[in-house]
Amino acid sequence: MPLLLLLNNKTAITDEWARAGMTTEAIIFFADNHVTKEMLYPEFEAVLDRVVGISEFAGQQVPAVYLRIDAQLNVTAAVFFRLGFDGRGNADNSWNIPLQHLADKGARGPDLGAGVIKLSCRSQCAVSWHQRELWDPVTDSKPTTFEKIAALLKRNRLGLTVIEPEPVVQAQQNIPVLSEQFSAGQAAPANDAVRKQLQDDFKQRQAALLDEQKLRIATLKSEAREHVEKLHRHYRSEAAALALKHSEALQALANEKSISRRYKETLEAQAQNLHDEREQFQQNVTAAKNIETQQVAALEQKFAEELRATVDTATAELKEMLEMREVELFYREEQLGSLREEISQLRTERQALLSDGGDKLLSRLAQAGITFVAYQPGLDHLSVPQPDLFAYLESPSGYVAERYGVDQSLYEQWLAHYQLPVCRHKVDDSVCGEPITKVERPADFIPNDSDRCSQHDFATLHADKKEQA
């Protein structure tokens, strides 16, 4: 019932604001740079309070724009943000972007009819920890995102009341009439006024073009940075996969060498035994040359049986050793599985204990509007939602690495480099220690390359190996 009254009184609210000379707040949603839905800010607050849902946005992360609109349907401020929806079309309850604050603190944007607007987007955001939740408008193709917004407001599908600006009445000036007696000295003031007006217009247009180009350059830099981060993540994943394959191959090779060495030792021992037995047999044959043929045949048969028994015994011992090894591996896997289950159960119990004691207090703090912000060396302030606070307390470095899209090991290597930016190449059981340029972002850090000086980086060492080859 409150939402129905809110929708019915939408026109009355906009009329009252327009008559008072105030701006109207509205929200528009985009999909593939096309407007899909628009609403006034009170309706948007009902969506955030999960009073109503938007089924067409179910399970999506939707780009949207917060607008401030004057009485002539011109934009005065804009904030480009993203809002997630669950499978039922309800807004994410952990979403906490201060749209009005970002609109007040926005940088200079383009002129959309009422002068330069205040703009907050991914490439220019006054609050750094909200930057990753914003997006940049499209400015490199026609029509641009700003042109689409201006055209949408002119259609006025929100039903806003439009108040035309009062005409400016200018006092009639005594314009001198040129005549033969009109001297050049009298015409000079009029020319100076015209020239000043033209210069002011030119400066305004130049400032608007500069603002537009600055925004476009910032957008291109943001896109390039995201592309570089994507390439870095792809490179790190491939490097990790190759390193894992290399380690597995080395381990398999070491195992094969160990097995081969044991078999070789066994075969050499058996060969030595056979050689000794053959020599003994030859000595017996030489000594028994004068013995009857039956005795010689008996000796040969005995030797063959002993030889067969020796080979069978060695084979059985080897099989028994292999079976014992397999049994040991099986029991070890069972023990590891049992230990993993115990660890998982202990973590669950610990989480339950923490939740019973501190989760109620954290929920009360979150409902009171308190936001948890953590500081990490070399990074911006990090906003930690209330549901993720226990995960952050359990492993701050792991949580920060996950939020910034890198592995925990890579983040810890970068942190060591950030705190002491020196070359870590080992030379004769010691570290080089040459000062190097600090990498400011963990996503830009490449192990064994970013923490090396120019004499020990990957490219130089690779070139030296080729020359030696």
Side-chain angles (χ1 to χ4, degrees):
M1 188 64 183
L3 178 60
L4 181 59
L5 294 175
L6 175 64
L7 296 177
N8 291 336
N9 294 331
K10 177 175 67 175
T11 305
I13 293 172
T14 56
D15 291 347
E16 183 181 352
W17 285 7
R19 286 194 298 271
M22 300 174 63
T23 57
T24 304
E25 297 174 303
I27 304 292
I28 60 176
F29 293 92
F30 279 82
D32 297 330
N33 201 27
H34 294 289
V35 178
T36 58
K37 196 175 188 61
E38 52 186 310
M39 62 180 64
L40 294 176
Y41 191 74
E43 300 176 61
F44 180 67
E45 288 181 327
V47 174
L48 291 181
D49 293 336
R50 302 171 72 93
V51 177
V52 294
I54 306 178
S55 58
E56 57 190 288
F57 294 154
Q60 299 182 28
Q61 190 81 6
V62 184
V65 183
Y66 164 83
L67 299 175
R68 285 181 181 171
I69 309 166
D70 62 10
Q72 288 77 41
L73 299 183
N74 294 319
V75 179
T76 61
V79 180
F80 289 76
F81 66 96
R82 296 182 184 274
L83 176 60
F85 293 85
D86 60 15
R88 297 182 178 180
N90 294 321
D92 183 6
N93 55 6
S94 64
W95 185 89
N96 60 348
I97 300 177
L99 298 177
Q100 297 171 337
H101 176 73
L102 293 179
D104 294 335
K105 300 297 182 180
R108 289 170 59 90
D111 186 355
L112 298 184
V116 176
I117 69 172
K118 291 185 177 181
L119 175 64
S120 291
C121 58
R122 188 181 182 89
S123 57
Q124 54 181 36
C125 179
V127 184
S128 59
W129 55 82
H130 290 305
Q131 185 176 8
R132 297 178 65 88
E133 302 176 13
L134 304 184
W135 62 286
D136 284 324
V138 177
T139 58
D140 55 355
S141 62
K142 295 294 183 177
T144 64
T145 305
F146 295 110
E147 293 173 350
K148 290 184 178 181
I149 292 174
L152 177 70
L153 294 180
K154 294 304 178 185
R155 291 196 293 269
N156 195 15
R157 294 192 296 188
L158 290 173
L160 303 178
T161 301
V162 181
I163 299 178
E164 297 295 336
E166 297 180 359
V168 179
V169 180
Q170 297 181 352
Q172 185 176 1
Q173 299 179 355
N174 295 326
I175 301 175
V177 181
L178 295 177
S179 63
E180 295 178 358
Q181 292 80 15
F182 190 75
S183 62
Q186 294 174 338
N191 293 336
D192 292 341
V194 173
R195 185 181 300 107
K196 187 176 183 305
Q197 182 65 32
L198 292 176
Q199 289 177 352
D200 292 341
D201 293 342
F202 175 75
K203 288 180 180 179
Q204 292 179 359
R205 293 181 181 179
Q206 186 180 25
L209 288 174
L210 287 175
D211 292 337
E212 183 178 353
Q213 293 301 321
K214 287 179 181 178
L215 175 60
R216 185 172 182 181
I217 291 173
T219 302
L220 292 175
K221 286 183 178 179
S222 178
E223 292 176 354
R225 184 164 53 251
E226 291 181 359
H227 182 66
V228 170
E229 291 179 357
K230 183 177 180 181
L231 291 177
H232 277 305
R233 289 194 296 270
H234 179 69
Y235 168 77
R236 288 195 299 270
S237 63
E238 288 190 349
L242 291 176
L244 179 61
K245 289 183 179 179
H246 180 67
S247 176
E248 292 177 350
L250 291 178
Q251 184 64 31
L253 180 61
N255 294 336
E256 291 295 332
K257 286 184 177 179
S258 177
I259 294 173
S260 177
R261 184 173 59 255
R262 291 198 300 269
Y263 284 163
K264 184 177 180 181
E265 292 174 355
T266 303
L267 291 176
E268 288 178 352
Q270 292 178 356
Q272 184 64 35
N273 291 334
L274 291 175
H275 178 71
D276 295 341
E277 291 179 357
R278 186 181 296 109
E279 288 183 350
Q280 182 65 34
F281 175 74
Q282 289 176 353
Q283 292 176 1
N284 294 335
V285 170
T286 303
K289 284 182 179 180
N290 299 325
I291 301 176
E292 296 180 354
T293 305
Q294 294 180 353
Q295 294 178 348
V296 173
L299 289 174
E300 290 180 350
Q301 183 178 0
K302 182 180 179 181
F303 172 76
E305 291 177 353
E306 291 178 354
L307 178 61
R308 188 182 304 109
T310 303
V311 173
D312 293 341
T313 302
T315 304
E317 290 178 355
L318 291 175
K319 288 182 178 180
E320 184 178 357
M321 291 171 62
L322 291 175
E323 291 176 354
M324 291 177 62
R325 184 62 177 173
E326 290 178 355
V327 171
E328 290 178 358
L329 291 175
F330 176 74
Y331 285 133
R332 183 176 299 175
E333 289 295 330
E334 285 187 348
Q335 292 176 357
L336 290 176
S338 176
L339 291 175
R340 291 192 187 99
E341 291 179 357
E342 292 180 2
I343 292 172
S344 176
Q345 184 177 359
L346 290 175
R347 287 180 176 173
T348 303
E349 293 177 356
R350 179 177 176 271
Q351 185 68 22
L353 292 175
L354 291 175
S355 299
D356 293 338
D359 191 57
K360 295 181 181 178
L361 177 59
L362 294 177
S363 298
R364 293 180 59 188
L365 292 176
Q367 292 175 1
I370 297 176
T371 303
F372 301 95
V373 179
Y375 174 78
Q376 295 296 328
L379 301 176
D380 295 330
H381 290 79
L382 180 64
S383 177
V384 182
Q386 184 264 331
D388 297 345
L389 189 59
F390 291 112
Y392 174 81
L393 293 176
E394 185 176 0
S395 177
S397 60
Y399 181 85
V400 174
E402 181 179 1
R403 283 290 300 269
Y404 283 91
V406 297
D407 295 334
Q408 182 176 357
S409 61
L410 176 63
Y411 172 76
E412 293 174 352
Q413 294 180 28
W414 167 84
L415 186 60
H417 160 76
Y418 182 86
Q419 294 174 348
L420 184 61
V422 297
C423 178
R424 300 180 182 275
H425 180 75
K426 291 186 178 180
V427 181
D428 297 333
D429 297 333
S430 63
V431 179
C432 173
E434 183 71 16
I436 59 176
T437 304
K438 182 187 297 183
V439 178
E440 300 293 340
R441 294 166 53 83
D444 300 332
F445 180 77
I446 300 177
N448 300 327
D449 185 72
S450 299
D451 54 354
R452 298 290 189 270
C453 62
S454 58
Q455 296 181 353
H456 300 124
D457 58 1
F458 180 78
T460 304
L461 295 175
H462 190 64
D464 293 340
K465 289 182 178 180
K466 283 188 174 180
E467 292 178 1
Q468 293 177 2

